[in-house]
Amino acid sequence: MNGEGEHKHPAWSFVMNCKGDSCTGDVVMFEQNVYEMFSIASRSATGPPCGTSVIVGWIVKESYGAVKQQHTFTIEQRGETTPSPSSLLTKGRNLYRLKTMRQRWENESERHKILSEKHFRGNAARSYRAACLQEKEIKKALRERTSKGNI
């Protein structure tokens, strides 16, 4: 907020485009819209954006939702004006539609290990969802047959 973040994380250090491929441990920078109004009921912003904000933070956690497999990131921010860390939860689809840049890791091979594990969990979550949807369709077809007296 007071411009001091540029010393710790200069904009030129965010050289890797990680749109679609962020993981725990990444230090990311992206710009998001800021809205004046927020609807608690729909849990979304209302009205046109009143500006933008540059977010810089560490991805400290990421997960896939059990039901819809929505990818969620927890990004921790710490600044000169906020000495204690604050967390920002953002859906993967929202983070990925932005031009998300990251800093290069000291050991990129370590990042690849974490990314592989993330991709494995994502594939498992998608497979599980597909199986659940298939089971739901089979049950629906069975109910329709029994209600029509075909069995």
Side-chain angles (χ1 to χ4, degrees):
M1 291 182 79
N2 62 6
E4 293 297 316
E6 180 72 20
H7 295 293
K8 287 185 178 181
H9 302 289
W12 58 261
S13 69
F14 293 89
V15 295
M16 309 294 286
N17 185 340
C18 61
K19 183 176 181 177
D21 220 7
S22 300
C23 68
T24 301
D26 280 349
V27 178
V28 295
M29 177 176 70
F30 59 93
E31 194 172 282
Q32 71 178 16
N33 288 330
V34 176
Y35 298 88
E36 286 184 26
M37 304 284 282
F38 186 81
S39 169
I40 299 293
S42 66
R43 294 172 33 188
S44 63
T46 58
C50 62
T52 59
S53 176
V54 175
I55 305 295
V56 175
W58 294 266
I59 297 177
V60 294
K61 183 179 173 188
E62 53 88 17
S63 63
Y64 290 94
V67 177
K68 296 182 182 178
Q69 278 70 55
Q70 290 187 1
H71 201 181
T72 304
F73 290 96
T74 303
I75 299 172
E76 184 178 281
Q77 300 171 280
R78 186 185 304 243
E80 300 295 320
T81 57
T82 56
S84 61
S86 64
S87 292
L88 168 71
L89 288 175
T90 187
K91 296 289 182 197
R93 66 176 181 268
N94 295 332
L95 183 67
Y96 291 153
R97 79 169 176 229
L98 306 166
K99 184 178 179 186
T100 303
M101 302 297 286
R102 71 172 176 87
Q103 291 180 329
R104 190 178 303 275
W105 282 38
E106 197 171 292
N107 183 354
E108 283 287 323
S109 63
E110 183 64 29
R111 182 179 187 274
H112 288 292
K113 288 179 192 173
I114 293 170
L115 213 47
S116 293
E117 191 271 333
K118 178 191 114 171
H119 292 160
F120 178 79
R121 285 186 293 110
N123 289 336
R126 283 185 289 281
S127 295
Y128 176 76
R129 178 167 170 76
C132 288
L133 290 174
Q134 186 177 18
E135 184 178 331
K136 187 177 178 179
E137 287 297 318
I138 290 169
K139 287 180 180 179
K140 181 181 175 185
L142 207 58
R143 277 194 308 271
E144 287 175 358
R145 273 197 237 158
T146 56
S147 69
K148 292 180 181 178
N150 293 339
I151 294 184

